[in-house]
Amino acid sequence: MRYDTDAGGAGEVGGFSSAAAARAAAQQFSTWRGVVGVVGGRRAPESAEPSVGLTMSRWASLWLDSRDVAPTTMAQYRSLVRNHLEPRFGELRLGEISGLDARMWALSLRSRYADATVDTIMKLLSMLLADAARERLIPANPIFPARRGRRPARVRPAIVWADPEQVLRVGLRACELVGGWAGLLIVTAAWTGARWGELLGLQRHNLHLDVDRGRGWMVIDAERGALHEVNGVFSLGRPKTAHSARTVELPPFLVGLLARHLECHAHPHVFVTRRGEYPRRSNFARRALHPAADGTLAHSRSRWKWAPIATGLTFHGLRHSHATWMIADHIPAAAQSYRLGHALPNAIDQVYSHIAPELHTHLIACLQHRWDHALTAVGGHVVGENGHRGRPDALAQARRRAKIRRAALRPQPEPPLTGASSAPESAAPAPAMPRVSTVRWRPRHRRRVDPR
């Protein structure tokens, strides 16, 4: 959709699905003062009412329809426009939005939202106004970096990372809370540095395991290497960046753990819940990661009484942990960037840097050593503050406890009589012991274990 501007130039907006959609947008544009509609139309009169023009709500709708971004990014843009920009600026014309109003609104938002959220909102508003200025809808973008006054001294909170022993303890607790797949997911994230979507999108045919030799690697596909969750709907798509498509080598211990894990289910994806469903990131953080890392002492109704291990640890913090381990092991920056799926800041280094096989061998040896050290420190089990001894295979332990209870409740047969009875002959025979049921009452918040 093309139009003429006051300066005598031409502007255009693309991305419409049909000619009818472009004509409808042109009718909206034609109401703006000094702007002509479609090609072949006539220039609007100079005496047009300045109160009539393109509103922020309409411009945001046109702008979003013309974007070619990832589904997750588009979902974030639409959410910010719907929940923040439209309630404040939706009915205003583009020319009525001033930089002062935008900055005062940003100050009011910082009292209710995190700084990162407010920065994202203002960045989106600036993008909308900058593109409107580029299309000659407004003279200039009213939002620009403020260089006057005192600059706010913001301290960015540091990302919490964990050492191998802490990661292993958190993983073992996650096994107790959710299941063995959750603990393995945490360990895999920490020892590979992969993102959440990359691990959830990992399929069987992209995981190559040689258990006999203790070698393995996972392939993150460039087209379908990440699982995206948009508005509750899962879909496979591209990973975050072009450099995210890579091959990640696995340490020997992780090869064995993943091989045994794949024998427990037949789903095409590697990491699924016990019901064969895709884990949701918010549920996983609330039910598994946060209670395991932050502890449960603040939750009076929790079954477990655990002290904190790494307060504030997030799933992305496991990726930071992997990067921190590689720095401590003196792994070169080129190898770190490749394993994490990053691009080197220097374009020349990106082109000429290569990773020798000896460096891969050294990296895998360091990761295996960290696992062995953490396993030795933990001792194969974790003792909670309430005296409960949690093991990596929580289901096997529950089965052993059920077996012990059944043995205790099973009626014992009477020993055979080998001699004369000492009881008087007139005494009545003792009644047979009734069979005791093995079903016992348990609190409702405890998970029942199938004794089979």
Side-chain angles (χ1 to χ4, degrees), residues 9-26:
E12 64 179 20
V13 176
F16 298 102
S17 58
S18 63
R23 293 191 185 94

Side-chain angles (χ1 to χ4, degrees), residues 7 9 12 50 134 159 177 204 233 248 265 294 330 332 403 406 420 442 449:
E12 64 179 20
R134 187 177 295 108
I159 302 295
L177 293 169
R204 288 176 176 265
V233 180
V248 181
H265 67 87
D294 301 342
H330 306 286
K403 183 178 180 180
R406 290 198 305 270
R442 296 181 182 178
V449 180

Side-chain angles (χ1 to χ4, degrees), residues 2-49:
R2 297 177 181 175
Y3 56 91
D4 297 333
T5 61
D6 288 335
E12 64 179 20
V13 176
F16 298 102
S17 58
S18 63
R23 293 191 185 94
Q27 295 297 328
Q28 294 289 336
F29 271 70
S30 63
T31 59
W32 178 254
R33 183 174 182 268
V35 179
V36 178
V38 296
V39 175
R42 293 180 300 174
R43 190 175 183 80
E46 296 294 337
S47 59
E49 291 294 332

